[in-house]
Amino acid sequence: MVTLGIESSAHTFGVGVVDHGKFLSNKKDMYKISDRGMIPRKVADHHSEVSYAVIKGALADAGISIRDIDSIGYTKGPGIGPCLRIGELAAKTLANNLHIPVYPVNHAIAHIEAAKHLSRFRDPLALYVSGGNSQILGTVALPFKHYTVYGETFDIGIGNMLDNFARAAQLNPAWGSSVAKLAKGGKYIGMPYNVKGMDFTFTGLLTNAIKLLDKANHKDVAFSLQETAFSMLSEATERALMLTSKKELIACGGVAQSIRLAEMLKGMAYMHKVKFYVAPNEYNADNGAMIALVAEKMHMSGIKIKDAECNVLQRYRADSVNITW
Ligand code: MG
């Protein structure tokens, strides 16, 4: 049972191969983000140009031929429309030619399931933090088995917030990891802290931090921004842990690569005797292997996908997906 997964929701075109939950390969090619951020059409052009080479590379790394594939998965959403379309087209074309089933995968669920799989946790609470998303999720059985969203950002994702700040501070590359580097050794300045129950907002914090760039030491601003944003996430996650009584916590998604965020969450989890896991960076960055993993789970569950469901959905919410495995 070999499944190939294609990820193309944002800057990364990734292809991975999975065999009974074992990751055989995970190839990717990332669009280089300019100081203007991501221009959807240009990112889609990139994905189209590299798609053949990345698919070929993933098959070679897995030591298999395209004829060995039993099913294919692709990212249906959430993500950037033109970028999602490239992955969808590649997946459907291959599946039609090989006469094998194709599975539309929710990107957020793929991040969670990859971390859950690697952690061997049974029923974790998940903090999913990436460019466009920031949510706290866990599975519930009713009215159908799905990931319910306990808390989420009411405006922008934490990754986009950090990238926006990085651009304003003229960091290169303008990513969260550059903000983390700058933040080292900074001193704390008070910042707006916006948590409402298990939900949170980031734009007020971002505006404040950008304004401070004219007056304060950039190192101190970066440090304070990071500490405040990660504290907000930790507080909301802690509340969700108390509400659900779950005993396992995972952090996943691009921003879960942050060492400082993992440190805070780990400390909080430890106080409540909750196990904590964060996957290696390879699986928190966008990748095809996690899409293959969920597609394989869908395939093995026996779910039948209608042709009309094989599309893309820019705002495909994790809590709308029926978990059939
Ligand atoms: Mg992602």
Side-chain angles (χ1 to χ4, degrees), residues 233-270:
L233 290 172
S234 298
E235 183 191 329
T237 304
E238 184 174 24
R239 203 162 280 139
L241 275 174
M242 296 306 98
L243 174 79
T244 58
S245 303
K246 289 195 194 280
K247 291 290 165 215
E248 300 156 334
L249 172 66
I250 52 176
C252 60
V255 182
Q257 295 173 85
S258 160
I259 292 165
R260 182 61 184 134
L261 176 62
E263 205 173 71
M264 271 194 203
L265 292 169
K266 196 177 172 184
M268 180 272 287
Y270 180 79

Side-chain angles (χ1 to χ4, degrees), residues 2-4 17 24-25 55-72 94 98 100:
V2 181
T3 302
L4 180 128
V17 177
L24 298 186
S25 68
I55 293 169
K56 220 174 124 187
L59 291 170
D61 281 5
I64 58 166
S65 107
I66 192 77
R67 306 251 157 238
D68 298 323
I69 304 285
D70 299 297
S71 68
I72 295 194
L94 284 173
L98 297 164
I100 56 176

Side-chain angles (χ1 to χ4, degrees), residues 29-288:
D29 194 311
M30 202 177 138
Y31 171 80
K32 220 172 164 306
I33 299 168
S34 71
D35 53 4
R36 293 167 61 201
M38 280 191 267
I39 301 153
R41 189 184 53 79
K42 293 213 165 162
V43 189
D45 284 350
H46 162 267
H47 291 355
S48 170
E49 278 156 25
V50 303
S51 58
Y52 180 70
V54 180
I55 293 169
K56 220 174 124 187
L59 291 170
D61 281 5
I64 58 166
S65 107
I66 192 77
R67 306 251 157 238
D68 298 323
I69 304 285
D70 299 297
S71 68
I72 295 194
Y74 72 93
T75 306
K76 171 170 173 156
I80 303 165
C83 303
L84 290 167
R85 281 284 184 209
I86 305 294
E88 177 209 19
L89 179 67
K92 280 180 173 172
T93 306
L94 284 173
N96 278 324
N97 272 289
L98 297 164
H99 305 288
I100 56 176
V102 59
Y103 296 96
V105 174
N106 179 285
H107 181 92
I109 288 177
H111 271 300
I112 299 170
E113 287 291 333
K116 185 180 167 190
H117 180 74
L118 291 164
S119 68
R120 298 178 186 271
F121 285 172
R122 290 188 54 222
D123 181 29
L125 185 76
L127 173 65
Y128 167 53
V129 275
S130 68
N133 304 282
S134 301
Q135 293 178 320
I136 302 163
L137 311 100
T139 49
V140 290
L142 296 171
F144 58 94
K145 189 179 174 193
H146 69 286
Y147 278 98
T148 196
V149 176
Y150 291 108
E152 64 187 316
T153 176
F154 278 166
D155 46 32
I156 57 174
I158 184 162
N160 285 349
M161 190 276 281
L162 292 169
D163 294 351
N164 264 305
F165 174 78
R167 279 197 287 278
Q170 295 181 327
L171 303 182
N172 187 20
W175 295 337
S177 55
S178 303
V179 179
K181 230 184 249 172
L182 177 63
K184 279 212 180 92
K187 284 187 210 56
Y188 192 77
I189 311 166
M191 295 247 166
Y193 185 96
N194 297 312
V195 177
K196 296 273 185 288
M198 289 175 284
D199 299 309
F200 32 85
T201 58
F202 291 117
T203 44
L205 176 61
L206 173 65
T207 307
N208 180 268
I210 290 175
K211 273 189 192 153
L212 271 175
L213 285 172
D214 290 335
K215 304 177 237 175
N217 181 316
H218 284 198
K219 197 174 254 320
D220 296 343
V221 181
F223 174 77
S224 309
L225 175 69
Q226 230 193 211
E227 289 298 299
T228 308
F230 293 169
S231 299
M232 284 163 49
L233 290 172
S234 298
E235 183 191 329
T237 304
E238 184 174 24
R239 203 162 280 139
L241 275 174
M242 296 306 98
L243 174 79
T244 58
S245 303
K246 289 195 194 280
K247 291 290 165 215
E248 300 156 334
L249 172 66
I250 52 176
C252 60
V255 182
Q257 295 173 85
S258 160
I259 292 165
R260 182 61 184 134
L261 176 62
E263 205 173 71
M264 271 194 203
L265 292 169
K266 196 177 172 184
M268 180 272 287
Y270 180 79
M271 286 198 310
H272 296 291
K273 297 190 172 63
V274 166
K275 284 189 215 153
F276 175 71
Y277 177 83
V278 58
N281 286 349
E282 179 182 358
Y283 300 101
N284 279 323
D286 287 347
N287 69 93

Side-chain angles (χ1 to χ4, degrees), residues 270-319:
Y270 180 79
M271 286 198 310
H272 296 291
K273 297 190 172 63
V274 166
K275 284 189 215 153
F276 175 71
Y277 177 83
V278 58
N281 286 349
E282 179 182 358
Y283 300 101
N284 279 323
D286 287 347
N287 69 93
M290 66 181 191
I291 304 300
L293 181 77
V294 173
E296 186 183 64
K297 285 178 187 293
M298 292 168 85
H299 185 64
M300 284 175 155
S301 78
I303 184 181
K304 293 276 172 281
I305 304 289
K306 296 185 195 89
D307 283 349
E309 291 173 82
C310 278
N311 51 9
V312 301
L313 211 51
Q314 294 202 78
R315 295 180 182 275
Y316 189 26
R317 282 188 64 90
D319 50 8

